[in-house]
Amino acid sequence: MYRPSSGDGGFGTKVGGARTSFKPKRYATTCEPPTFVLEYGDDDLGLLRTRKFRLKKIKSDDSLERTVDEIVRKLPSRIDKVLVSKAQILRILQRLKLKLGGSVELPQLDGDLNKLSTEELDAVKDRMNDTFLANAKRPGDEGYQYDVQVEFDAPTEDNDWDSTDDDIDEDIPLP
C-alpha cells in the first residue's frame, strides 16, 4: 500500500516535521491564449513547479486588480503568499493587456492622488519609484556622498499646515 511521506497527498514536503514553504521564482505571461505563469519552488530541496492561470477577460475593461486578487487567492497553499508581490503581478498584467490591444491609462502625477483607484495609485507609485531609482546615487557612483546634511534658510512665506498647538483657540474635550 502506498503511503505519502507528508500526509498531504505527496505534494508538500516535510523537513524536520514542518511543512516546507515554496517561494515564487519567476512570473511570465503568454499572449495566445492569454495566460499568467508562475514558477515556484524550494531551493533547499531542489524542487521547481509551474502553475498557469488562463486569463479569459484580460481584454475587457475588468479591473486588473480583481484579476490579481483572484490569482493570489488561487495560488497553491504551499506558496508563502507574503513573498508574492501583487504590484509586480499587476504590472505584468498591464503589459500583457497593452500587448493584446487593450489600454491601460496611467494617471498624471499632478492632482489629488487620494481620488485614484488602487490600481491607478499603484501605477503612479511604480512610475515614481522608477524615477527615484534612476536618480538615486549609490555607493560607488560619481558624486555619491554619505550622510549629507543641509542647513535651510528661514521660511520666506507663511504657511498654515504646520501650525503648533499654541495656535489652537478652543479646547475640544476628548470622548
Side-chain angles (χ1 to χ4, degrees):
M1 180 172 143
Y2 172 73
R3 285 192 172 162
S5 61
S6 61
D8 65 351
F11 293 107
T13 307
K14 288 189 177 183
V15 177
R19 191 170 178 195
T20 61
S21 175
F22 289 86
K23 296 177 184 171
K25 300 291 182 186
R26 294 189 289 183
Y27 303 116
T29 57
T30 60
C31 292
E32 271 309 312
T35 307
F36 175 78
V37 182
L38 168 68
E39 188 176 275
Y40 61 98
D42 187 336
D43 291 334
D44 296 335
L45 300 174
L47 298 174
L48 190 63
R49 305 231 191 286
T50 303
R51 175 74 193 266
K52 295 181 180 182
F53 300 89
R54 290 283 310 270
L55 306 171
K56 296 176 182 166
K57 297 182 179 180
I58 192 78
K59 290 182 184 178
S60 70
D61 289 335
D62 259 2
S63 171
L64 288 179
E65 185 177 280
R66 282 190 302 213
T67 305
V68 170
D69 289 339
E70 187 72 13
I71 287 172
V72 172
R73 189 179 65 77
K74 290 184 175 182
L75 288 176
S77 61
R78 296 176 303 277
I79 295 179
D80 188 356
K81 291 181 177 48
V82 173
L83 301 175
V84 176
S85 169
K86 286 186 176 183
Q88 185 177 9
I89 295 173
L90 181 63
R91 284 193 310 271
I92 291 170
L93 294 183
Q94 286 173 338
R95 278 190 247 137
L96 176 63
K97 188 172 182 177
L98 287 172
K99 279 184 184 179
L100 295 173
S103 63
V104 177
E105 287 188 25
L106 295 177
Q108 297 299 319
L109 291 177
D110 55 345
D112 189 0
L113 299 180
N114 291 321
K115 295 180 180 177
L116 298 178
S117 70
T118 305
E119 182 178 295
E120 293 170 329
L121 186 60
D122 286 342
V124 169
K125 286 181 178 181
D126 288 340
R127 273 196 312 190
M128 290 168 57
N129 192 39
D130 291 343
T131 303
F132 172 78
L133 292 175
N135 294 326
K137 294 192 184 238
R138 294 170 186 82
D141 290 348
E142 185 177 327
Y144 171 79
Q145 287 182 323
Y146 177 76
D147 193 24
V148 175
Q149 296 182 7
V150 178
E151 292 287 330
F152 292 97
D153 296 331
T156 57
E157 57 187 48
D158 206 21
N159 58 42
D160 60 348
W161 58 267
D162 65 347
S163 62
T164 63
D165 290 339
D166 297 338
D167 297 339
I168 297 176
D169 293 334
E170 61 185 69
D171 290 331
I172 301 172
L174 295 174

